[in-house]
Amino acid sequence: EVQLVESGGGLVQPGGSLRLSCAASGFTVSTNYMAWVRQAPGKGLEWVSVIYSDGTTKYADSVKGRFTISRDNSRSTVSLQMNSLRAEDTAVYYCAKGRGNPGCYDYWGQGTLVTVSS
Amino acid sequence: DIQMTQSPSTLSASVGDRVIITCRASQGIGNWLIWYQQKPGKAPKLLIYKASTLENGVPSRFSGSGSGTEFTLTISSLQPDDFATYYCQQYNSYSWTFGQGTKVEIK
């Protein structure tokens, strides 16, 4: 059974950093593309970042240069390092497993809340 | 970025109703369109991909159609479990973008 479990969310001050982790099971992280998608409170979904099986990464313009996605195949985890956080980064962050053509996500974690506030 | 616009934003319907949600893309995306269902406090659930392909396990009352810039999600007979928010998403090009969502409420 595929499972994705996010952790690492919390309250952080503007300008601070946070590292999110996504523990995957039931499939091989290294052979699938994985992404982070976020949802601000009461708002819609926003794609944040993706990492492909070959290690290629992509980012939304809103986080480029501040966020870094990475993968640890030995631990079956995907991480999102978030630096220079802003109030507008406040959201539930979901980890998602890709399937087929890039951009399609068939399994999602339960999400972890990141709150950026002083 | 490609903008995705859903209509309506909110829809009030009764059990058994036929429900249609529309999604428009700001430029052509072929059939690279996904529909997700999201319930409060839960992660999105994949319903339909490639505009019209039903994900395994999704009830056949859900269907998707369209190509290019106009797409629809149809629920043929609304069930109590279907009251939720529905999002379309294009995966034709970066950044993959979502519609603003359509909330299906009980009438």
Side-chain angles (χ1 to χ4, degrees):
Chain A
E1 180 193 4
V2 171
Q3 279 198 318
L4 299 168
V5 180
E6 301 95 335
S7 60
L11 175 63
V12 61
Q13 292 189 338
S17 298
L18 211 55
R19 187 178 182 87
L20 305 183
S21 289
C22 171
S25 59
F27 69 101
T28 305
V29 163
S30 62
T31 59
N32 288 270
Y33 65 94
M34 300 290 294
W36 289 92
V37 177
R38 68 185 181 183
Q39 187 169 36
K43 302 296 184 182
L45 300 163
E46 179 188 18
W47 169 74
V48 173
S49 181
V50 64
I51 184 166
Y52 291 99
S53 56
D54 65 358
T56 302
T57 59
K58 297 281 189 184
Y59 299 92
D61 286 346
S62 57
V63 307
K64 202 173 292 182
R66 300 187 298 124
F67 290 12
T68 303
I69 190 171
S70 61
R71 182 180 63 215
D72 185 333
N73 295 335
S74 64
R75 295 188 175 189
S76 289
T77 60
V78 177
S79 297
L80 186 69
Q81 177 66 42
M82 304 186 296
N83 299 330
S84 302
L85 283 162
R86 307 166 180 167
E88 55 264 36
D89 295 319
T90 295
V92 173
Y93 284 73
Y94 293 103
C95 171
K97 169 188 168 292
R99 192 267 303 278
N101 288 83
C104 183
Y105 300 103
D106 57 356
Y107 287 93
W108 297 60
Q110 84 288 350
T112 187
L113 176 62
V114 172
T115 303
V116 184
S117 174
S118 55
Chain B
D1 293 357
I2 298 173
Q3 306 302 314
M4 306 300 291
T5 304
Q6 290 181 233
S7 60
S9 296
T10 306
L11 186 159
S12 296
S14 301
V15 172
D17 284 353
R18 181 182 179 87
V19 167
I20 298 175
I21 298 169
T22 299
C23 177
R24 289 187 174 88
S26 61
Q27 63 190 75
I29 59 171
N31 64 348
W32 300 111
L33 193 283
I34 292 164
W35 289 99
Y36 293 101
Q37 176 193 67
Q38 187 180 35
K39 296 182 178 178
K42 301 293 187 182
K45 173 187 174 183
L46 177 63
L47 295 179
I48 289 169
Y49 59 97
K50 267 191 183 178
S52 60
T53 303
L54 205 63
E55 173 69 348
N56 288 340
V58 174
S60 59
R61 62 181 179 272
F62 290 92
S63 65
S65 66
S67 67
T69 61
E70 288 235 3
F71 302 86
T72 59
L73 172 70
T74 300
I75 308 173
S76 60
S77 177
L78 197 65
Q79 299 301 301
D81 191 48
D82 301 338
F83 291 97
T85 299
Y86 294 85
Y87 292 94
C88 63
Q89 179 220 319
Q90 67 82 17
Y91 59 128
N92 178 72
S93 61
Y94 295 109
S95 295
W96 300 312
T97 44
F98 295 82
Q100 81 280 12
T102 295
K103 185 175 183 180
V104 177
E105 297 181 328
I106 300 173
K107 192 172 184 179

